[in-house]
Amino acid sequence: MGLDATVRCRCFEEGKLKPGPVPYDDLYIDGEGYIASRRLDARRAELGRRRFAARYGELEKAFYDWSDHCCEHENGDYVAEWVSNWAGVAEFESRVEEVGGEAEFPLLSHMLPHGNGGVYPVELAEAILKELDRFLEIITNVDE
Ligand SMILES: [Zn+2]
């Protein structure tokens, strides 16, 4: 078990998706960064899981099958990388804490999730890369 990171492609925003089982204008990017269907989400919430599956199960399966291959990027992943195992994540956070923690590295201190899921805002990417460079500079100067 570990932590993987992905960067979603921009094919949805650029209108490059292959035609699928629901109309393009029904699609949106959900809070976890996945392509979703407004209509299917609304029917699922209305009907509950069992009734939804009975009425829309085949369409939902077709939708998920399509969404895995709806553009040139498998699962819509522009980049997919294994980050570390959970012990490595804990070690990283411990290192950040040792060299100043939240006061010194406010973004790095809260960057990594502690469970499945999560989205890191692209707006913070440049700032966190600067923190990461500073962090790496500090820890490479620490005598182990
Ligand atoms: Zn794509």
Side-chain angles (χ1 to χ4, degrees), residues 9-12 17 70-73 76-77:
C9 70
R10 305 267 313 150
C11 293
F12 169 69
L17 302 184
C70 61
C71 68
E72 66 182 274
H73 308 100
D77 293 338

Side-chain angles (χ1 to χ4, degrees), residues 92 95 99 105 108 129-142:
F92 174 78
R95 290 280 189 100
V99 294
F105 299 101
L108 284 181
L129 286 172
K130 286 180 182 167
E131 272 193 21
L132 189 59
D133 286 344
R134 204 160 42 82
F135 171 74
L136 291 171
E137 193 178 305
I138 291 170
I139 65 162
T140 54
N141 292 328
V142 172

Side-chain angles (χ1 to χ4, degrees), residues 9 25 41 47 50:
C9 70
D25 63 1
D41 288 356
L47 299 171
R50 255 181 73 189

